[in-house]
Amino acid sequence: MTRSAEIEFLKVYFVFILLSYFGGKSIMTKLNFYSLEKTPYLNPRTDRRVAVVTGGNSGIGWYDCLHLYLHGWTIYVVGRNEQKVTSAIQKIEEELKVTIAKYPEDQLNKRPVGSLKYVHGDFTDLASCDKAAKEILLHEKLIHLVILNAGVMALPLQFTKDNLEIQYQTNVTSQFLLTMRLLPAVKAVAEQGQIVPRIVFLSSLAHTMTRSFVKPGDKSLFKGPNFLKTWMRYSQSKLADIHLAKQLAQRYPKILTSSVHPGVIVDTELYSHWKKLPLIGVFARGFIGLTGKLAGVSQEEGCLSTLRAATDPSLTLEKDNGKYYDAGGPQKDPSDIANNVENAKYTWNWNVLELKGRGFDVEEA
Ligand SMILES: NC(=O)c1ccc[n+]([C@@H]2O[C@H](COP(=O)([O-])OP(=O)(O)OC[C@H]3O[C@@H](n4cnc5c(N)ncnc54)[C@H](OP(=O)(O)O)[C@@H]3O)[C@@H](O)[C@H]2O)c1
């Protein structure tokens, strides 16, 4: 990465901040939110559908799980902390009483709920992801939906026990491994020919922060001031999520794969590292809070782009495979770097090779 690429990044970063301040609120109030009434209510006894959701214990992922549960899905919630995930599952079950009270009377018996199960998976540990997939496959031969939502943002530079940078491994490589391991059960749904299985990657508007393609593994992101480079590493990881979604769509055309930006949701745990910092945390809390007021959406609104990509019955393989969805749910073009097929192939091959080098072969012979 050259000095001019860093300056370019800084320019885009400040434009992004200015847009959030001055354009954000008007953009957000014009958002076209996906209506969850379009998502079919399933009866798990007659139409059993299985979803795997990563990071479902907080923020956007919790709302994904809540609404899938209310729509009758069987959900495997993959997380690293059993206590957190089981208490999140309990809260979803409690929320049911509140929701049912709002149902129109004639719908009460037509909306049976699904079920929620915890599966241990730590995305800083490749072996743990491999094991999580094996555990799910022990119980399920058919998987209809995978939502890759778990993520971390702007952490200090750290390398995991697999010797990968922590943001990239958590946001990309580990969840790619999980997906590839679950693929036989996803493909099995496609082969039955009645239901189109789906995969959704949580990307971010932050993928646009890099104006040139910073290749995975580029060591220049490991040097220099962390306050700048950590955002570049986050941006790089969220760009990779779009690349992998596009490559999956191309390589597996019978699976509807997408990536989404959920919106700016400042009260999730994603921002907690910055909010907790001594001194800087005071500014961070003020800055993040103001950004949220001007340009943010709620956590529940934040799940709508994901749930549109995951469940909107009007989406088809022919016209929608590999697409990117913006906050609230409308389709949008991601950046040119994200759309570039050669870049996407590079990201795919890099991840395949890194996994192979660590004993996890994910490509089919
Ligand atoms: N919030 C936003 O403004 C925003 C904007 C654009 C994109 N996104 C994307 O949306 C997704 C969800 O973010 P959120 O805002 O809902 O954040 P969040 O509340 O922090 O949720 C992140 C989830 O990921 C899990 N996770 C993190 N590291 C993990 C690991 N090593 N192993 C297993 N699980 C792990 C967390 O589990 P623990 O509780 O165990 O940490 C949590 O359940 C992320 O991919 C994020 O990049 C968010």
Side-chain angles (χ1 to χ4, degrees):
M1 150 132 324
T2 59
R3 193 105 208 117
S4 67
E6 283 173 20
I7 291 166
E8 197 57 41
F9 171 82
L10 270 178
K11 278 194 225 153
V12 175
Y13 182 65
F14 284 115
V15 169
F16 177 74
I17 300 297
L18 286 175
L19 269 178
S20 300
Y21 274 98
F22 299 115
K25 196 68 191 171
S26 57
I27 293 166
M28 291 303 151
T29 47
K30 281 186 207 143
L31 274 183
N32 179 9
F33 288 118
Y34 173 67
S35 163
L36 284 167
E37 285 305 311
K38 290 185 190 156
T39 292
Y41 285 90
L42 307 165
N43 183 340
R45 278 195 219 117
T46 53
D47 189 2
R48 187 171 182 273
R49 306 266 180 109
V50 176
V52 175
V53 180
T54 69
N57 60 278
S58 72
I60 304 160
W62 187 85
Y63 279 98
D64 291 342
C65 291
L66 168 71
H67 286 294
L68 290 173
Y69 173 69
L70 293 173
H71 283 78
W73 285 77
T74 299
I75 307 152
Y76 289 84
V77 188
V78 185
R80 60 180 154 179
N81 183 320
E82 180 167 11
Q83 198 269 326
K84 273 193 190 176
V85 179
T86 46
S87 98
I89 289 178
Q90 210 177 333
K91 279 201 199 111
I92 289 177
E93 285 160 355
E94 284 161 17
E95 186 68 23
L96 175 66
K97 293 170 205 143
V98 183
T99 310
I100 280 186
K102 293 181 206 152
Y103 280 170
E105 212 165 303
D106 64 326
Q107 293 300 311
L108 270 178
N109 299 327
K110 292 184 186 153
R111 297 182 178 181
V113 292
S115 58
L116 295 144
K117 291 165 205 195
Y118 163 67
V119 175
H120 180 78
D122 181 346
F123 297 116
T124 62
D125 177 357
L126 294 174
S128 159
C129 303
D130 196 48
K131 209 168 151 214
K134 281 191 183 124
E135 192 185 328
I136 297 168
L137 293 176
L138 264 184
H139 301 285
E140 304 295 342
K141 299 284 164 270
L142 299 172
I143 294 174
H144 303 80
L145 172 63
V146 180
I147 297 181
L148 303 158
N149 162 82
V152 287
M153 182 177 79
L155 297 184
L157 181 64
Q158 280 175 65
F159 291 88
T160 64
K161 64 198 254 193
D162 298 305
N163 198 25
L164 289 163
E165 189 275 317
I166 192 164
Q167 291 194 70
Y168 200 89
Q169 178 169 350
T170 307
N171 298 352
V172 186
T173 313
S174 285
Q175 300 196 69
F176 177 55
L177 171 63
L178 179 77
T179 310
M180 296 309 280
R181 289 291 188 252
L182 296 176
L183 215 55
V186 180
K187 278 164 53 184
V189 172
E191 275 147 25
Q192 285 187 336
Q194 281 146 355
I195 298 163
V196 174
R198 302 190 188 193
I199 300 176
V200 185
F201 283 78
L202 265 286
S203 176
S204 168
L205 176 62
H207 83 272
T208 58
M209 282 178 168
T210 41
R211 293 287 288 272
S212 56
F213 180 40
V214 186
K215 291 179 176 164
D218 185 327
K219 292 199 172 42
S220 71
L221 294 191
F222 306 156
K223 291 180 228 137
N226 186 60
F227 81 92
L228 174 65
K229 294 297 176 81
T230 188
W231 290 102
M232 295 174 89
R233 293 192 295 271
Y234 180 67
S235 173
Q236 182 194 45
S237 74
K238 292 290 144 181
L239 175 70
D241 287 328
I242 304 178
H243 283 163
L244 293 180
K246 286 188 175 290
Q247 281 289 295
L248 271 167
Q250 206 185 328
R251 289 164 192 256
Y252 300 94
K254 290 185 179 165
I255 303 171
L256 186 56
T257 306
S258 337
S259 54
V260 307
H261 167 58
V264 177
I265 307 114
V266 296
D267 58 349
T268 68
E269 293 302 313
L270 200 67
Y271 297 79
S272 57
H273 167 72
W274 284 83
K275 287 183 187 168
K276 282 181 196 153
L277 286 176
L279 201 62
I280 292 176
V282 177
F283 295 103
R285 283 196 294 277
F287 178 73
I288 291 167
L290 194 58
T291 306
K293 280 209 167 60
L294 293 168
V297 295
S298 72
Q299 293 188 20
E300 192 159 19
E301 289 165 344
C303 80
L304 295 175
S305 54
T306 302
L307 289 179
R308 173 160 193 232
T311 63
D312 182 348
S314 73
L315 304 181
T316 64
L317 284 172
E318 294 69 33
K319 64 178 176 51
D320 301 305
N321 215 358
K323 292 283 166 71
Y324 173 80
Y325 297 82
D326 199 11
Q331 273 182 8
K332 194 182 174 182
D333 258 343
S335 70
D336 290 346
I337 304 168
N339 266 331
N340 183 299
V341 179
E342 291 311 312
N343 293 346
K345 270 192 212 155
Y346 188 96
T347 298
W348 176 279
N349 290 334
W350 188 89
N351 279 282
V352 168
L353 277 177
E354 292 296 314
L355 285 170
K356 196 169 183 180
R358 289 164 177 80
F360 301 95
D361 210 341
V362 294
E363 272 203 325
E364 291 156 352

